[in-house]
Amino acid sequence: MTNNAMSNNLPRENKKKILLVINCLQGGGAERVVLTLGQGFYELGYEVHVLRFKSRVEYDLNPNLNYHLINFKKYKLIPKLERRDKFVSGVVDRYVSKKIGQPDIILSNLDRADSILSHSKMLNIIYVIHTTLSLSYKFKNLDDEQKKLAFSDIYSKNSCVCVSEGVQKDFIEIFGDITPTATIHNPIDRDCILELANAFVPEHQNYIIHVGSFKEAKRHDMLLRAYAKTDQSLPLLLLGKGKLKNDIEQLVVELNLEDKVVFLGFLENPFPYIKHAKFKILTSDWEGFALVIAESLVLGTPVISTDCQSGPSELLPQKNLMPMRDIDAIAAKLSLAMKDPEQFHSEFSEALLPVTIAKKYIEFASNVKNTDKRS
């Protein structure tokens, strides 16, 4: 992480405090965002605290941040999740009051933290919505009104920041105007990514890279079926882990791609592989922000992506986008990129740097507070 200690010479009691809450710090995009955003606030002179509910960590912890763990295993005997979350929210409130004090801003990340903090008595809570909720939770497909009402009850309690315009649009379409919302893109620590990308040189050369968990949203099946229709002149490297990995490995065999597809597993530092790739591909049906696209742009790696509901079209020009679930169109774009990857090069936007993004959160929190005072 980059370091700027100039604004951190204030005595601790004079510093503003921010608390970022998340279930754990395992290898996901939201977890990495929490650490990156925390660094942005640190550079602005904030005392930054990260609170989690599970001990699991798969990232190097930024030494500029303060870490807290409240383990809720002992509360599993409380039978109903909603009742349990209401109880443990009191535990969280007491812990924060004693160990941190009232933060100037509290950012809640992902549904477990959101559910717990919906019962909190603390002030200045903002939910960060990291995904397209209607697709992640299938509100539209299952017409699950009870589930939708439960989420609506949670998110009506505090204001919400959505990580892309598509996520915000989806949120309002599902729930209506239940709370103040804004779009603030995820932060990208350019300096850190550039440094990590030089950690090693991959043994593979002249390849395509896909980075993402083996889960439904990422549509590895579409990627492989499209790749099978190309001349496969570049091997395809898949970086990630997840519950659908066995299914995807079986599909590779069915498509006779064993000599062309490489499974790299999960790597805490994927950036050398992204840096040295001819291009990056994303074939998702839905994203929140598509963090890996922005990270690839930092490294100058060309990207092609499906034009899914949230994220890619806010980061890439139209020529880099493909229709979702269209195997022939994806295969055609893959073939073009294999012949001339640089035609899909796109510039990284400095508007995504951590300090700039942290300032947007501060502005939104201030606006919400001022609105509350007037109402």
Side-chain angles (χ1 to χ4, degrees), residues 312-329:
S313 65
E314 298 171 43
L315 297 167
L316 295 172
Q318 190 63 39
K319 69 175 182 179
N320 295 48
L321 302 174
M322 310 169 283
M324 293 187 304
R325 306 186 206 107
D326 188 331
I327 292 172
D328 289 335

Side-chain angles (χ1 to χ4, degrees), residues 12-13 16 24 54 74 101 116 148 158 175 264 290 353:
R12 185 173 181 218
E13 59 270 18
K16 290 191 172 183
C24 65
K54 289 184 178 179
K74 60 184 176 182
I116 290 169
K148 190 190 296 186
N158 297 291
F175 302 121
L264 296 172
L353 294 175

Side-chain angles (χ1 to χ4, degrees), residues 45 58 88 91 98 104 119 129 223 290 308 311 316 327 353 364-365:
E58 291 180 345
V88 298
V91 176
K98 183 178 179 181
D104 295 270
H119 302 287
I129 311 301
L223 170 58
C308 57
L316 295 172
I327 292 172
L353 294 175
F364 177 69

